[in-house]
Amino acid sequence: MRRKYLNLETMMKPRSVAIIGASQNPDKVGHIILQNYIDSSFPGKIYPVNINSQEPILGLKMYKRVGNIKAPIDLAVIAIPADVVPGVVEECGKAKVKSAIVVSGGFAEIGDTNLQEKLVQAAEKYSMPLLGPNCLGVMDPRSRIDTLFLPTFKIDKPKIGGVSFATQSGAVGSTVLDVISHEGFGMARFISYGNAAVIDEVDILNYLMHDEETKVIVFYIEGIKRPKEFVEVAKKATLIKPVVIIKGGITEEGSKAVQSHTASLAGSYQTYEAIFKQYGFTIARDLDELLYYAKIFDTQPLTTGNRIAVMTNGGGTGVLATDALYQNGLKLANLSRKSQLGLRKAMPSIVNIRLPLDLAGDADDKRFTTALDILSKDSNVDAMMVIALFQTPGADSRVAASLIHYNTQMSKPFVVISPGGSYTEVHRNMMESSGVPVYDSPFIAAKALSALIEYARYKRSVGANAKNKS
Amino acid sequence: MRRKYLNLETMMKPRSVAIIGASQNPDKVGHIILQNYIDSSFPGKIYPVNINSQEPILGLKMYKRVGNIKAPIDLAVIAIPADVVPGVVEECGKAKVKSAIVVSGGFAEIGDTNLQEKLVQAAEKYSMPLLGPNCLGVMDPRSRIDTLFLPTFKIDKPKIGGVSFATQSGAVGSTVLDVISHEGFGMARFISYGNAAVIDEVDILNYLMHDEETKVIVFYIEGIKRPKEFVEVAKKATLIKPVVIIKGGITEEGSKAVQSHTASLAGSYQTYEAIFKQYGFTIARDLDELLYYAKIFDTQPLTTGNRIAVMTNGGGTGVLATDALYQNGLKLANLSRKSQLGLRKAMPSIVNIRLPLDLAGDADDKRFTTALDILSKDSNVDAMMVIALFQTPGADSRVAASLIHYNTQMSKPFVVISPGGSYTEVHRNMMESSGVPVYDSPFIAAKALSALIEYARYKRSVGANAKNKS
């Protein structure tokens, strides 16, 4: 019998890993995985296993079978032809291997539900948490586990951080991982779970909601195997931390594509959407949205207030930002009398003292800093949106440094909009790597802020209800 | 009396330019503009003018007044305090200067409508096409004119191409210019027109629609001064080429922000939107959308068909692309029997012969090329959407080269989706600089394709009506 929630801890933080299907051929998955372990300086023990060859590989002793290892194994990574996988899982069970990841494809996703059933039975017989099949496995920059069979030079490496990403699709997974790393915000856990034969959405959500390193959970799902249990866990999860979700197969044709991809039943999206909304999930429509939301939840505190102070060094972008606020359920703050007087005293006469505060094209770091200082302290302001256009004569690294400073000091949400080319990119990188969420355009930034506020309001209302009932 | 449509030709392709307000102080606008001319190897004559100093500047003779130059002047760029601008325009008129750009601010946008009126009268007295005030002026990579007073190291330089961008806001202008340059698609004309005191939206649209170098017109507007004439020109313009438009001040609060920015009457957005839709404009909601649309119109042929062939080397992204098509009024093509047989014969057995065509994670350039060849020739296919994930083991520069080849060969619209980090960026740049429109996510790509098809259908239906009537 399967436990209600399988634990992923041994899989995410293994002290010893058997790589079954380790190959001398550098093009084979089993070789790439082993190479990646070595490249990532994985601190635990590594045992390559190959039934056909016992030549040492990459300086390590090769084992014929997992049973020959005679040492405790926390995780077996299995990359061998599908038809022999169930037998090898059985062997792992006998050898008391604590968890397994099956990266091999060729199960339910190509119609072979029998073979997948055999795999499930083998895992369940030994109560073994098994991830996959047909998946990339896991990556964790803290424990340095990395089972992805992708050439490392093709994917930027994430820094350590608070975003955990679970994905049914390996391709979506590796792409998002690459973009997250490139944008400079940090990752806690990466889990590609493919066909979800044993470990499924429910186990993963349950694991991540209790995981202290995870600040925000991001999910790409195609179907949900146990809807009732999912709702049960989801209810609790969103009271602890934000969950951003994107569902593949929300149209009829998309759901047909899901069928031939991971053999999930896509189900009616209306049902899913209703569940997601009811339990405070943040729903993304597209891959880029997923990242916009992850970024703000990872770096910013929550607020239930929607009074935004917008400041800009470009008037037109301030206009667009104002439109974007009101289109996304936010509004401009009414500055306190004190702020108004303070700004009037400090700003040159060409600056109109009203929001959006147009600092003008010649604004330098001093003007930015003064305005940031006054606006961030105004109790009528719930969050700040700063448009910093680095194309203007006055904007340089000192402006970026000032934004970083106020993002760190402030206890209110803070977003920056800085579209541009090479010169801007340097400053975006500076800011992003210091935890400032930077966006390409006002609408996206407003959408992200709006999602943050919506989630905070959900948490407050449901949390309050839960209290009243107890 | 003002002519109906002012001509911008002398301003865009001047053979001689007077820079009035040229300054020895490198922080002054008049200095930066002069320096930029010299940096951009402007091939025409340059005459610096400064009433206070006749020291030579940057190796050029300095003139006290424009009247002293005694040579024909095509364009005067005026960067001096607002209150003396009308008098200098009068001087320019007397000296038979053919056109003028007033970059100085301090007119209607700060409430001084009187001063602006004086400026208008001076220009009209000499029938002088005058751009501004309160603007950045123009840039044209062909004629090498560049009146932008922005430090050149802060903005990427555009290559020569087909996108013309006209903007009421200088900040939006310089930002978009920078992003366009960075993304590697080419620019025809850049026009920042500020307060639109003399040359306005109508003149610019009329000029650009007849301009042979302009393939697609992109507009940021805050208000329209002559709505009746605008409609008259718009009607003709969209029959010739696509016009992408974004309007600042579409909410009540946004329209208040417009008032203090360029003193335009924002007007009711409902009215504008109705006009834009009726006359086949492509409406962008945000700065990033503006660029997505510009990119596809600049590089791809039109089609009125919405049957899309989607191919991918990542299953999950194929699912999301399918959802994105149906959410944007597009659909998957039904492949011909011939294509199906051809693909079945050429593809390995793990590849399911249906759309979205999942080439699998190990797809290399050969598999991509075969599929591109078959799908692009299928008469049931109106356009192609290719998802190329460069994180996968098989995808490399040969795949990018194959996509470039088919984009060039095909007479159907072609879009690529390649999200990712550093390794992907190299390939995106390769493709973008060869005219392949590359997008970050399926939804955006579908939206761009949908805009292209919608415009093609508008053009067909209105063009046909126009024919029937004649």
Side-chain angles (χ1 to χ4, degrees):
Chain A
M1 239 311 271
R2 170 187 217 294
R3 279 164 299 159
K4 194 162 182 186
Y5 306 124
L6 294 169
N7 195 333
L8 282 79
E9 195 69 1
T10 341
M11 184 175 288
M12 296 304 309
K13 297 170 187 164
R15 286 152 307 172
S16 51
V17 181
I19 295 170
I20 304 177
S23 166
Q24 306 286 354
N25 179 346
D27 288 339
K28 290 274 181 189
V29 168
H31 186 96
I32 297 172
I33 294 176
L34 182 59
Q35 182 71 61
N36 285 354
Y37 269 80
I38 293 168
D39 290 350
S40 68
S41 317
F42 175 66
K45 298 256 181 215
I46 308 174
Y47 304 103
V49 179
N50 191 320
I51 199 156
N52 300 316
S53 149
Q54 281 74 54
E55 291 287 302
I57 180 169
L58 299 168
L60 295 167
K61 173 175 158 61
M62 182 82 97
Y63 294 83
K64 192 178 171 71
R65 294 182 175 281
V66 70
N68 302 142
I69 296 172
K70 310 293 179 202
I73 310 284
D74 281 349
L75 171 65
V77 181
I78 303 173
I80 53 178
D83 55 332
V84 293
V85 170
V88 163
V89 170
E90 177 80 36
E91 277 183 48
C92 288
K94 277 187 192 147
K96 299 200 165 52
V97 170
K98 294 198 189 75
S99 60
I101 296 174
V102 180
V103 302
S104 322
F107 297 86
E109 85 279 9
I110 61 155
D112 201 340
T113 47
N114 268 342
L115 191 64
Q116 185 156 318
E117 192 44 41
K118 277 186 200 160
L119 178 67
V120 172
Q121 281 167 11
E124 289 188 348
K125 184 171 163 190
Y126 296 95
S127 300
M128 189 190 296
L130 181 145
L131 195 70
N134 185 28
C135 74
L136 287 179
V138 301
M139 179 191 249
D140 181 329
R142 282 185 185 80
S143 75
R144 298 211 185 136
I145 179 107
D146 177 0
T147 73
L148 276 59
F149 52 95
L150 298 167
T152 48
F153 70 93
K154 290 192 170 185
I155 302 192
D156 291 351
K157 285 279 163 207
K159 61 173 197 176
I160 290 174
V163 178
S164 282
F165 182 46
T167 172
Q168 189 145 20
S169 158
V172 168
S174 53
T175 303
V176 170
L177 179 64
D178 189 21
V179 177
I180 283 182
S181 310
H182 192 66
E183 297 235 330
F185 54 113
M187 173 142 261
R189 326 279 176 209
F190 173 87
I191 304 167
S192 155
Y193 63 94
N195 292 6
V198 180
I199 290 175
D200 65 9
E201 299 79 17
V202 176
D203 302 309
I204 294 170
L205 188 56
N206 180 66
Y207 173 72
L208 293 176
M209 85 178 182
H210 292 117
D211 176 27
E212 286 189 3
E213 315 290 6
T214 299
K215 219 174 140 188
V216 45
I217 301 170
V218 181
F219 243 112
Y220 169 78
I221 62 161
E222 295 193 342
I224 292 176
K225 295 234 161 172
R226 296 181 285 161
K228 210 175 122 249
E229 289 87 344
F230 188 80
V231 166
E232 223 172 90
V233 180
K235 236 189 251 185
K236 295 178 204 152
T238 48
L239 283 181
I240 303 175
K241 57 189 78 168
V243 183
V244 181
I245 200 156
I246 184 167
K247 162 115 180 43
I250 70 178
T251 61
E252 200 191 321
E253 288 292 327
S255 110
K256 283 185 204 158
V258 158
Q259 190 48 34
S260 76
H261 179 227
T262 49
S264 305
L265 286 172
S268 140
Y269 183 60
Q270 281 66 37
T271 315
Y272 280 116
E273 205 184 18
I275 292 176
F276 295 158
K277 283 195 175 150
Q278 188 178 347
Y279 297 111
F281 283 60
T282 301
I283 304 174
R285 189 199 54 185
D286 204 355
L287 291 181
D288 52 355
E289 268 190 29
L290 208 66
L291 295 161
Y292 303 148
Y293 295 144
K295 185 147 70 171
I296 195 166
F297 281 122
D298 184 36
T299 58
Q300 299 304 310
L302 297 180
T303 182
T304 56
N306 68 346
R307 301 166 305 169
I308 317 297
V310 177
M311 55 183 273
T312 178
N313 61 347
T317 320
V319 170
L320 291 175
T322 305
D323 283 339
L325 289 187
Y326 285 84
Q327 288 175 299
N328 283 286
L330 310 174
K331 57 184 184 183
L332 289 172
N334 284 313
L335 295 187
S336 71
R337 181 104 188 102
K338 193 180 156 203
S339 299
Q340 291 183 36
L341 291 174
L343 285 170
R344 183 63 292 157
K345 211 175 145 191
M347 294 290 132
S349 66
I350 52 155
V351 174
N352 237 317
I353 306 304
R354 59 188 300 285
L355 297 183
L357 186 68
D358 185 354
L359 300 175
D362 62 342
D364 59 3
D365 61 309
K366 287 195 198 89
R367 208 180 294 167
F368 266 96
T369 301
T370 307
L372 282 164
D373 199 56
I374 293 172
L375 294 177
S376 66
K377 286 175 184 156
D378 191 322
S379 62
N380 291 347
V381 170
D382 296 313
M384 289 206 51
M385 178 183 277
V386 182
I387 300 158
L389 304 176
F390 286 92
Q391 293 85 11
T392 58
D396 56 19
S397 306
R398 285 169 296 189
V399 167
S402 174
L403 294 173
I404 292 170
H405 174 76
Y406 279 92
N407 177 56
T408 314
Q409 292 298 306
M410 246 176 89
S411 55
K412 300 169 184 178
F414 189 85
V415 296
V416 170
I417 299 156
S418 288
S422 312
Y423 182 79
T424 297
E425 207 161 64
V426 174
H427 296 98
R428 287 179 66 118
N429 290 346
M430 254 181 87
M431 293 190 283
E432 294 267 12
S433 66
S434 306
V436 180
V438 185
Y439 294 93
D440 271 339
S441 78
F443 201 88
I444 294 167
K447 225 170 156 174
L449 254 182
S450 171
L452 182 96
I453 292 164
E454 205 179 307
Y455 171 65
R457 288 177 174 179
Y458 168 83
K459 213 171 151 180
R460 183 182 60 180
S461 77
V462 177
N465 280 343
K467 244 185 212 163
N468 290 344
K469 276 179 198 160
S470 65
Chain B
M1 239 314 270
R2 173 187 215 294
R3 278 163 299 158
K4 192 162 184 186
Y5 306 122
L6 293 169
N7 196 333
L8 281 78
E9 195 69 2
T10 340
M11 186 175 289
M12 298 304 308
K13 296 170 188 165
R15 286 154 305 174
S16 50
V17 181
I19 296 170
I20 303 177
S23 167
Q24 306 286 355
N25 180 346
D27 289 338
K28 291 273 181 189
V29 167
H31 187 96
I32 298 173
I33 294 175
L34 181 60
Q35 182 71 59
N36 286 354
Y37 268 79
I38 293 167
D39 290 349
S40 68
S41 316
F42 175 67
K45 299 257 182 215
I46 308 175
Y47 304 102
V49 180
N50 191 321
I51 199 155
N52 300 317
S53 147
Q54 280 76 56
E55 289 289 300
I57 180 168
L58 299 168
L60 294 168
K61 173 174 158 60
M62 182 82 97
Y63 294 84
K64 191 178 170 71
R65 295 182 174 280
V66 70
N68 302 139
I69 298 173
K70 311 288 177 208
I73 310 285
D74 280 349
L75 171 66
V77 180
I78 302 171
I80 52 177
D83 56 331
V84 291
V85 170
V88 164
V89 170
E90 175 82 35
E91 278 183 46
C92 289
K94 278 187 193 147
K96 298 201 167 52
V97 171
K98 295 201 189 72
S99 60
I101 296 174
V102 180
V103 303
S104 323
F107 296 84
E109 84 281 9
I110 60 155
D112 202 340
T113 46
N114 268 344
L115 191 63
Q116 185 155 318
E117 193 42 42
K118 277 186 200 158
L119 178 66
V120 172
Q121 282 166 8
E124 290 188 348
K125 181 171 166 193
Y126 297 95
S127 299
M128 191 192 294
L130 181 143
L131 196 69
N134 185 28
C135 74
L136 287 178
V138 301
M139 178 192 249
D140 181 328
R142 283 185 183 80
S143 75
R144 298 210 185 136
I145 177 105
D146 177 0
T147 72
L148 275 59
F149 51 96
L150 298 167
T152 48
F153 70 93
K154 291 193 169 185
I155 303 192
D156 291 351
K157 284 277 163 209
K159 59 173 200 176
I160 291 175
V163 178
S164 281
F165 182 46
T167 173
Q168 189 146 18
S169 158
V172 167
S174 54
T175 303
V176 169
L177 178 63
D178 190 22
V179 177
I180 284 183
S181 309
H182 192 66
E183 296 234 331
F185 55 112
M187 173 143 261
R189 325 278 176 210
F190 172 87
I191 303 167
S192 155
Y193 62 94
N195 292 4
V198 180
I199 290 176
D200 65 9
E201 300 79 17
V202 176
D203 302 308
I204 295 170
L205 188 57
N206 180 66
Y207 173 72
L208 293 176
M209 86 177 181
H210 292 117
D211 176 27
E212 285 189 5
E213 314 290 5
T214 299
K215 224 176 135 185
V216 44
I217 301 170
V218 180
F219 242 112
Y220 170 79
I221 61 161
E222 296 194 342
I224 292 175
K225 296 233 160 172
R226 295 181 285 161
K228 208 175 126 250
E229 288 86 345
F230 189 79
V231 166
E232 221 172 275
V233 179
K235 235 189 251 187
K236 294 179 205 152
T238 48
L239 283 181
I240 303 175
K241 56 190 78 168
V243 182
V244 182
I245 198 155
I246 185 168
K247 162 113 179 47
I250 71 178
T251 61
E252 201 191 320
E253 287 292 327
S255 110
K256 283 185 203 157
V258 157
Q259 190 48 33
S260 76
H261 181 228
T262 49
S264 305
L265 287 172
S268 141
Y269 184 60
Q270 281 67 36
T271 316
Y272 279 118
E273 205 183 18
I275 292 175
F276 295 159
K277 283 196 176 151
Q278 188 179 348
Y279 296 110
F281 282 61
T282 300
I283 304 174
R285 188 199 54 186
D286 203 356
L287 290 181
D288 52 355
E289 269 191 28
L290 207 69
L291 295 162
Y292 303 148
Y293 295 144
K295 183 144 75 169
I296 196 165
F297 281 122
D298 184 37
T299 59
Q300 300 303 311
L302 297 180
T303 180
T304 55
N306 68 346
R307 301 165 305 168
I308 318 296
V310 177
M311 54 183 273
T312 178
N313 61 346
T317 320
V319 170
L320 292 175
T322 306
D323 283 338
L325 289 187
Y326 285 84
Q327 289 174 296
N328 284 286
L330 311 174
K331 57 184 184 184
L332 290 172
N334 284 313
L335 295 186
S336 71
R337 181 108 186 99
K338 192 179 156 204
S339 298
Q340 291 184 35
L341 292 173
L343 285 170
R344 184 65 289 158
K345 212 174 144 191
M347 293 290 133
S349 65
I350 51 155
V351 174
N352 238 318
I353 306 305
R354 59 188 300 285
L355 297 182
L357 186 68
D358 185 355
L359 300 175
D362 62 341
D364 59 3
D365 61 308
K366 287 195 198 87
R367 207 178 295 165
F368 265 95
T369 302
T370 308
L372 283 164
D373 199 57
I374 294 172
L375 293 177
S376 66
K377 285 174 184 156
D378 191 322
S379 62
N380 292 346
V381 170
D382 297 313
M384 288 205 54
M385 177 183 280
V386 181
I387 300 157
L389 304 176
F390 287 92
Q391 293 85 10
T392 58
D396 57 18
S397 306
R398 283 169 297 189
V399 167
S402 175
L403 294 173
I404 292 169
H405 174 76
Y406 279 92
N407 177 56
T408 313
Q409 292 298 305
M410 249 175 85
S411 55
K412 300 170 185 178
F414 189 83
V415 296
V416 170
I417 298 156
S418 287
S422 313
Y423 182 79
T424 298
E425 208 162 63
V426 174
H427 296 97
R428 286 178 66 118
N429 290 347
M430 252 181 88
M431 293 190 284
E432 294 267 11
S433 65
S434 305
V436 179
V438 185
Y439 293 94
D440 270 340
S441 78
F443 202 88
I444 295 168
K447 224 168 158 178
L449 254 182
S450 172
L452 183 96
I453 293 164
E454 206 178 305
Y455 171 65
R457 288 176 175 179
Y458 167 83
K459 211 170 154 180
R460 183 182 61 182
S461 76
V462 177
N465 279 344
K467 241 183 212 165
N468 290 343
K469 277 181 198 160
S470 66

